[in-house]
Amino acid sequence: MNMDFVLFSVHVCLGIASAAMVWGVPVELLKMWRLHPVRWAAIWAVGLVALICLPGPWNVAVWGGAVLHGVAMAWRAVLGLKKWGQQDPIVTSEQQARLMDLRGQLARLHEQERMALRIQQTETERATLADAYRRFDAILLTIEQHLSLGDTERAERLITLFGKHLRGVLNEASSPFIRLNDTLEAIRNYLALMEALTAERLLIDLDDGMIEPENGVRMTRNMEITPWVEAQTWPLFEAAERTADVADPHLITADLEGGDVVFRLNDGPSLRLKLMGSAAKRA
């Protein structure tokens, strides 16, 4: 058997073994391990040319050099795979420490975002409740005036309406969500109180006929709709208190548009809020 053929066969086996070992390894690692498949292909091409064109001793020399190169490449592949599979424990612990530090920083960022959102919600709720307290004071002052004038029957009616309004406020503030039916009832109680306080000089109707009854159990965020209604109608109450004339009637409409519930005062300001849940099925 010719020596050049033996060396050729050994080089083929080394090439196949090296290729099988590094198959699927990222290119960046091959470069780090100084393994160059293109260089292997060039050596193959040179060897084949030498096999065809050069005499026997030169063939043996060329293929001998190719075999030594193949042995070096196979050894580099073995060392690289061993290092890749068995990382340095110190390096691994450092990587784990960095990963834990990054996770801690990410958790702190999420916590800061939650705290900022909670602070904003708290400030909004405080402002809403502060406005409600100011209105409570004005309502109680009006009731006190009627009591001082001896109009006890009207004062008792005002106290009853105010009690219903107050229960609605407390019910809404006790939960992050509230049923649409409960919101509509709270609005009616508030509007009835406003009309009674002004001796019917201020008339505000609520039209919710476009909302199907089965949607009444769906939920909205609390402290959104009723504070908006109160903020929009309170200036009308203050204006009615400064005059003895009957004001033009006003209308608040409630309607569903897509997945939102929309409240509108006359043809002016409106409030759009996401309505959660699905409509109740009719029996």
Side-chain angles (χ1 to χ4, degrees):
M1 183 180 294
N2 295 335
M3 181 60 67
D4 55 354
F5 179 75
V6 173
L7 294 173
F8 172 78
S9 300
V10 172
H11 190 258
V12 169
C13 293
L14 287 171
I16 293 174
S18 301
M21 284 190 293
V22 301
W23 182 264
V25 175
V27 178
E28 291 76 9
L29 288 180
L30 295 180
K31 293 180 180 179
M32 183 183 302
W33 299 343
R34 293 184 296 171
L35 299 177
H36 304 283
V38 176
R39 185 181 299 173
W40 290 354
I43 292 175
W44 269 90
V46 171
L48 290 175
V49 171
L51 183 64
I52 296 172
C53 301
L54 297 179
W58 290 103
N59 287 342
V60 173
V62 171
W63 284 113
V67 168
L68 292 176
H69 178 268
V71 171
M73 294 301 101
W75 182 244
R76 287 179 185 175
V78 171
L79 293 178
L81 290 172
K82 184 178 180 180
K83 183 178 180 181
W84 189 29
Q86 300 177 355
Q87 295 184 358
D88 188 351
I90 298 178
V91 175
T92 303
S93 62
E94 290 178 352
Q95 292 175 348
Q96 291 177 347
R98 291 182 59 188
L99 181 59
M100 294 299 294
D101 183 59
L102 290 174
R103 288 178 176 174
Q105 293 180 12
L106 184 60
R108 286 192 293 271
L109 286 175
H110 287 325
E111 183 63 24
Q112 289 177 358
E113 291 178 356
R114 287 193 293 267
M115 289 180 62
L117 181 60
R118 183 56 186 166
I119 290 173
Q120 182 180 359
Q121 292 176 345
T122 301
E123 292 296 329
T124 302
E125 292 176 359
R126 287 181 59 185
T128 301
L129 292 175
D131 292 337
Y133 292 151
R134 287 193 291 269
R135 288 191 286 268
F136 289 165
D137 289 338
I139 293 172
L140 291 175
L141 180 60
T142 303
I143 296 174
E144 184 180 353
Q145 290 176 349
H146 287 293
L147 287 173
S148 62
L149 295 174
D151 193 353
T152 56
E153 182 178 351
R154 187 179 179 193
E156 289 178 359
R157 180 167 180 266
L158 290 175
I159 292 173
T160 301
L161 292 173
F162 179 71
K164 291 181 179 179
H165 171 60
L166 185 58
R167 283 195 298 271
V169 173
L170 295 176
N171 176 57
E172 185 169 357
S174 64
S175 174
F177 304 103
I178 184 171
R179 293 190 306 175
L180 183 57
N181 276 341
D182 294 339
T183 299
L184 296 175
E185 181 181 359
I187 293 174
R188 290 191 181 92
N189 290 333
Y190 170 76
L191 295 180
L193 176 60
M194 292 298 100
E195 293 176 356
L197 287 171
T198 58
E200 315 298 331
R201 298 193 308 275
L202 175 64
L203 299 176
I204 306 176
D205 291 329
L206 173 64
D207 182 8
D208 59 346
M210 299 302 293
I211 298 180
E212 296 82 357
E214 56 268 23
N215 285 303
V217 297
R218 300 177 68 182
M219 312 289 284
T220 63
R221 294 196 308 269
N222 73 330
M223 307 303 289
E224 291 281 350
I225 298 175
T226 49
W228 180 85
V229 171
E230 295 175 12
Q232 295 298 320
T233 56
W234 188 255
L236 302 178
F237 165 75
E238 293 178 326
E241 284 289 271
R242 292 192 295 265
T243 179
D245 299 331
V246 177
D248 294 333
H250 301 276
L251 179 65
I252 296 177
T253 57
D255 196 3
L256 292 180
E257 296 182 5
D260 299 337
V261 58
V262 181
F263 286 83
R264 181 174 286 104
L265 175 61
N266 299 325
D267 294 326
S270 63
L271 172 69
R272 179 182 295 269
L273 199 63
K274 184 69 176 179
L275 196 59
M276 293 170 283
S278 57
K281 296 182 179 179
R282 293 183 177 180

